Amino acid sequence: MLSLGAAVRTRRIKTVFIRLAGLGVLAIVLGFGLFLWLLPNEEVSLDRNADGIVVLTGGTSRVTDGLELLAAGRGKRLLITGVNPGTTTGDIARQVSDYGRLLSCCVDLDYSALNTLGNAVEARRWAVDRGFHSLIIVTSAYHMPRALAEIAHQLPDVTLVPFPVVSDRLRIEPWWSNGATTRLVLSEYFKFLFAQVRMRFDSVAVETEKNYRLSAIEAFRMC
């Protein structure tokens, strides 16, 4: 049988645990509200150009939007990351015939990325290799917060310009009115939270900064 002192300590521990759990739930709920508030419900009109354009595959209109931005001179070159193996620029050109010339000269395909982290890593390699200091990021509206966070972590010194692709479903109906959309938004929010936690223990930003410095030193030596 517990003594009076032990019972009091146990009760205090339980009270603290319940309060901490409640604060955690409140933080998640408030964070979800902020996440929803940040989600755009209509496509933006860019007011600036960038060195490059990065399209994260996964939606039908993302590639078309990226090519339209490239054709409009919003960027010098386009990276499509997360492309299915075997897909070529010729395959894409057959679907968007108006951009055949751009696909043959100014578009790079990445086949290695399997998720958003992989997209960010490949975007870093691509941008560093070409000396790009600003990127337009094209992906779905619900995916944009996580994509920006991952790419910003990989490229802390590069300016990122979001160009969200808003689906007709998100534009026409509230996210809570459709079960599939609700699951999609909730899933993306928790993935975003997980990415934020993981990046706090990831030293890639430091390594990227070192690589930039080494590249600058090598370029100086070659002059």
Side-chain angles (χ1 to χ4, degrees):
M1 187 173 181
L2 291 176
S3 65
L4 179 59
V8 171
R9 286 194 297 271
T10 301
R11 184 175 180 179
R12 287 177 178 174
I13 291 173
K14 289 181 178 179
T15 301
V16 171
F17 176 79
I18 291 172
R19 288 179 178 175
L20 289 175
L23 288 174
V25 172
L26 179 62
I28 291 174
V29 172
L30 292 176
F32 184 58
L34 178 61
F35 180 81
L36 291 174
W37 182 71
L38 292 173
L39 289 182
N41 56 12
E42 59 183 21
E43 294 186 358
V44 301
S45 178
L46 293 182
D47 58 359
R48 59 159 299 173
N49 297 337
D51 294 330
I53 304 167
V54 177
V55 173
L56 286 70
T57 57
T60 55
S61 62
R62 298 183 195 180
V63 173
T64 302
D65 285 357
L67 288 169
E68 288 177 354
L69 292 172
L70 184 64
R74 291 299 188 181
K76 303 171 186 175
R77 197 165 184 86
L78 168 67
L79 170 68
I80 305 174
T81 173
V83 179
N84 288 328
T87 301
T88 65
T89 53
D91 296 327
I92 299 174
R94 282 190 284 274
Q95 299 177 12
V96 284
S97 57
D98 294 339
Y99 302 105
R101 183 185 61 81
L102 284 175
L103 282 161
S104 63
C105 77
C106 309
V107 175
D108 301 305
L109 303 183
D110 157 55
Y111 301 99
S112 60
L114 301 176
N115 50 35
T116 305
L117 174 58
N119 294 142
V121 170
E122 294 307 316
R124 180 191 69 195
R125 293 174 180 170
W126 184 75
V128 171
D129 286 347
R130 285 158 181 77
F132 288 168
H133 299 286
S134 58
L135 299 172
I136 296 172
I137 308 301
V138 181
T139 190
S140 296
Y142 64 83
H143 184 226
M144 185 61 75
R146 183 159 61 103
L148 287 178
E150 292 281 14
I151 298 174
H153 185 63
Q154 296 287 333
L155 290 166
D157 299 321
V158 171
T159 301
L160 304 180
V161 182
F163 187 85
V165 179
V166 182
S167 66
D168 291 337
R169 178 178 294 174
L170 284 178
R171 186 183 292 110
I172 295 172
E173 59 186 14
W175 63 272
W176 63 83
S177 65
N178 182 283
T181 305
T182 301
R183 289 190 295 272
L184 176 63
V185 172
L186 285 171
S187 172
E188 191 57 45
Y189 172 62
F190 285 109
K191 288 178 181 179
F192 173 76
L193 290 182
F194 176 78
Q196 291 288 345
V197 173
R198 193 205 74 246
M199 287 187 289
R200 292 188 179 276
F201 300 95
D202 188 357
S203 61
V204 69
V206 176
E207 293 300 319
T208 302
E209 184 177 354
K210 289 180 180 178
N211 290 337
Y212 273 120
R213 290 175 179 173
L214 289 174
S215 298
I217 292 172
E218 291 299 324
F220 177 77
R221 288 175 177 174
M222 293 175 64
C223 293

